[in-house]
Amino acid sequence: MDQILGQVLRNAVWERLDMLSDLANRADAPSLVSVARSELPRLTEGWRAMLRAHEPDVRGDCPTCSTRWHRCKAPCSVWQVAHEHLVAGGLAPQEAPRGRGRKRSPLPAQATHQTAADTQGRHALIPQAPAAAR
């Protein structure tokens, strides 16, 4: 039951983000101003709440990402993504360190989400089988 509720919650968040992206790409100027005034404060407060949960403790560990057996040093991936998207977002994507053989995507999570949504239906509660398996 928790998995279904979690999936419903995730779907609602993805759908809200999709709606805001669509508005940003298609709305006229007066609509954009209205959306910006109502949504930017909510989005910035959401980022602040999430980042507060990932503030390093006195040992320099992220209390949210750390477990009893594995300590996650700050900055954790949440802070790294926040910096990438909120501060360094205008910078060109950088080449991955040698040996990895691929470039970093400027929006890794979004790109993965959009690809799955485009090929399998947007926010399915039941994961679809890969196209090759059908």
Side-chain angles (χ1 to χ4, degrees):
M1 187 66 157
D2 287 342
Q3 275 186 318
I4 293 171
L5 292 175
Q7 188 64 47
V8 168
L9 180 137
R10 287 188 299 278
N11 288 347
V13 171
W14 281 120
E15 288 171 9
R16 181 67 172 196
L17 291 171
D18 290 343
M19 184 267 304
L20 291 172
S21 291
D22 289 344
L23 277 172
N25 292 325
R26 297 190 179 119
D28 58 8
S31 299
L32 282 175
V33 170
S34 177
V35 169
R37 285 190 177 134
S38 66
E39 296 298 325
L40 281 175
R42 292 177 57 179
L43 290 170
T44 56
E45 189 51 40
W47 271 104
R48 285 184 179 107
M50 184 170 41
L51 292 172
R52 276 192 295 271
H54 291 268
E55 277 290 323
D57 60 18
V58 295
R59 293 184 308 252
D61 297 331
C62 173
T64 304
C65 295
S66 295
T67 67
R68 176 183 292 171
W69 299 278
H70 174 74
R71 306 309 302 169
C72 178
K73 285 291 181 194
C76 68
S77 62
V78 171
W79 274 98
Q80 292 170 17
V81 168
H83 183 269
E84 182 177 336
H85 291 279
L86 297 173
V87 178
L91 302 177
Q94 297 177 0
E95 189 79 29
R98 292 200 181 267
R100 290 213 166 139
R102 67 183 190 95
K103 290 183 180 179
R104 269 188 24 206
S105 168
L107 299 172
Q110 184 179 5
T112 301
H113 169 67
Q114 286 177 343
T115 301
D118 291 343
T119 61
Q120 300 175 1
R122 276 216 154 175
H123 307 286
L125 285 173
I126 301 171
Q128 298 288 323
R134 288 189 229 172

